[in-house]
Amino acid sequence: MTWHVLGGGSLGGLWAARLGRAGLPVQLILRNPQRLAAYRAAGGLTLVEQGAAQTYPIPAQLAADSQPIERLLLACKAYDALAAISSIETRLRPGAQVLLLQNGLGSQEQVAARVQNARCIAVSSTEGAFRQDDFRIVFAGQGQNWLGDAQTPPDWLGELTLAGIPHQWTEKMPTRLWRKFALNCAINPLTVLHDCRNGALLEHLDEIQPLCAELVELLNHAGQADAAVALYEQVLQVLQATAANLSSMQQDVRAGRRTEIDYLLGYASTCATRLQVPAPRLQQLHLRLLEHLRARGLPCA
Ligand code: NAP
């Protein structure tokens, strides 16, 4: 069965290259004819690992292609997910499996509501990759891919093993997603506002501690108590362990790219309002971040 990979960016490229070089059938789905032409001119996907570059001529097509899709890796940003899935929804076979790589919360629900005949499986990745150039991906950090839903594990997990893609199936995927969401809400926006690396936030614990307390309340009211346990303590651990790192949001802002704010603080603010949980610090942080993005001419959604 073919792995269709929508999006030849950082994670899409990383997954497609590893699946393809393991001899598994892979098809990239690219945005438009210009991107397809650029991809063909590049001769395939180049993956750089530990300084060594290798090009993989993975076949690519457009969303408008007619080939049915049974298994799809949706490898775009959260804000592109709904439009991207809509572009191929008529190609999805009933019962098709769709892996969702998006960070934050909200896009998974949007996609699942759009393709109700598909089995949507969320993936939470701690692997790191970035685009050095078009279709040239640098594998920057080893990690894990947590994935799962409430059903029995699919039979293709062995293909991930074959491709050397680290993964762990979990029935507690919502807990994983909410925990990562809470960690990202506590860390990423403040790294942008203080224009600093993760470790420098250890000097701003007066902001982080009450923020974590609000996030814990929010998670508890959202029925995600497991994801709320010792949140502040884990935030401290993450800040220490990743002290030299730039958060993904900080990288986006520095590069002048759109952020996934709507799927972190936007989702948190909306959720707090819907559940009637007081969250003044989260909402204030959201407004400060929006103002910061607006002042730099970056999209506010
Ligand atoms: P990325 O490098 O920006 O790649 C996204 C790709 O999606 C781009 O190549 C883009 O095409 C493509 N795309 C968007 N809409 C499309 C459409 N309608 N049809 C076809 N292609 C489309 O993003 P990323 O870093 O891989 O991130 C993907 C998700 O993974 C994000 O939610 C991110 O937060 C999460 N994540 C990333 C990492 C990481 O290390 N990169 C780690 C953990 C989680 P163009 O090239 O034409 O723009």
Side-chain angles (χ1 to χ4, degrees):
M1 199 183 287
T2 299
W3 284 89
H4 283 89
V5 177
L6 190 153
S10 312
L11 283 196
L14 179 62
W15 279 62
R18 290 182 295 185
L19 290 164
R21 72 183 174 195
L24 296 162
V26 183
Q27 267 289 346
L28 272 180
I29 301 176
L30 300 179
R31 201 190 266 283
N32 56 39
Q34 292 75 22
R35 298 297 284 150
L36 188 56
Y39 176 74
R40 291 189 173 143
L45 268 175
T46 298
L47 183 61
V48 183
E49 291 169 285
Q50 294 168 340
Q54 177 87 42
T55 299
Y56 302 95
I58 310 275
Q61 57 182 214
L62 293 173
D65 195 279
S66 59
Q67 188 187 8
I69 297 174
E70 292 178 273
R71 192 185 297 150
L72 176 75
L73 182 70
L74 194 66
C76 57
K77 299 278 191 168
Y79 48 74
D80 280 328
L82 185 56
I85 197 76
S86 304
S87 74
I88 53 86
E89 67 174 318
T90 56
R91 294 176 55 187
L92 289 175
R93 282 249 167 90
Q97 306 193 4
V98 181
L99 278 74
L100 306 172
L101 272 173
Q102 290 64 44
N103 222 347
L105 287 175
S107 70
Q108 300 87 352
E109 297 162 26
Q110 293 173 340
V111 171
R114 181 79 196 205
V115 290
Q116 294 184 13
N117 288 332
R119 177 180 179 185
C120 290
I121 300 175
V123 184
S124 177
S125 181
T126 61
E127 293 193 293
F130 64 90
R131 281 198 264 190
Q132 201 170 49
D133 206 341
D134 270 358
F135 309 115
R136 185 180 175 93
I137 315 299
V138 178
F139 189 6
Q142 305 285 330
Q144 183 60 279
N145 294 289
W146 297 90
L147 71 169
D149 63 8
Q151 302 183 41
T152 48
D155 54 10
W156 43 257
L157 291 180
E159 295 190 8
L160 299 186
T161 307
L162 187 69
I165 298 175
H167 62 280
Q168 182 81 48
W169 183 261
T170 173
E171 285 158 14
K172 296 192 173 165
M173 201 55 207
T175 305
R176 289 246 154 226
L177 287 177
W178 277 84
R179 181 65 161 200
K180 189 172 183 207
F181 161 80
L183 291 168
N184 284 341
C185 283
I187 295 172
N188 296 12
L190 284 173
T191 61
V192 172
L193 292 173
H194 291 292
D195 192 19
C196 67
R197 290 181 185 271
N198 289 358
L201 285 189
L202 290 164
E203 291 160 27
H204 298 281
L205 298 182
D206 54 327
E207 286 183 271
I208 292 179
Q209 194 160 23
L211 198 59
C212 285
E214 280 191 11
L215 282 163
V216 165
E217 275 300 294
L218 183 61
L219 266 54
N220 284 336
H221 279 81
Q224 296 295 332
D226 286 354
V229 174
L231 178 67
Y232 177 60
E233 288 73 11
Q234 196 181 356
V235 168
L236 295 185
Q237 283 166 11
V238 171
L239 293 180
Q240 281 153 1
T242 63
N245 292 6
L246 287 173
S247 74
S248 55
M249 189 179 269
Q250 169 74 315
Q251 288 176 39
D252 285 340
V253 171
R254 285 197 179 182
R257 291 188 300 250
R258 184 175 174 183
T259 68
E260 294 181 299
I261 180 174
D262 266 2
Y263 300 86
L264 294 173
L265 288 180
Y267 189 89
S269 296
T270 308
C271 190
T273 305
R274 181 167 46 84
L275 297 173
Q276 299 184 321
V277 181
R281 286 174 187 271
L282 272 169
Q283 277 155 348
Q284 183 62 26
L285 185 63
H286 188 203
L287 293 178
R288 280 169 66 201
L289 186 58
L290 287 173
E291 189 49 47
H292 186 93
L293 297 177
R294 203 171 291 123
R296 278 150 192 80
L298 291 173
C300 290

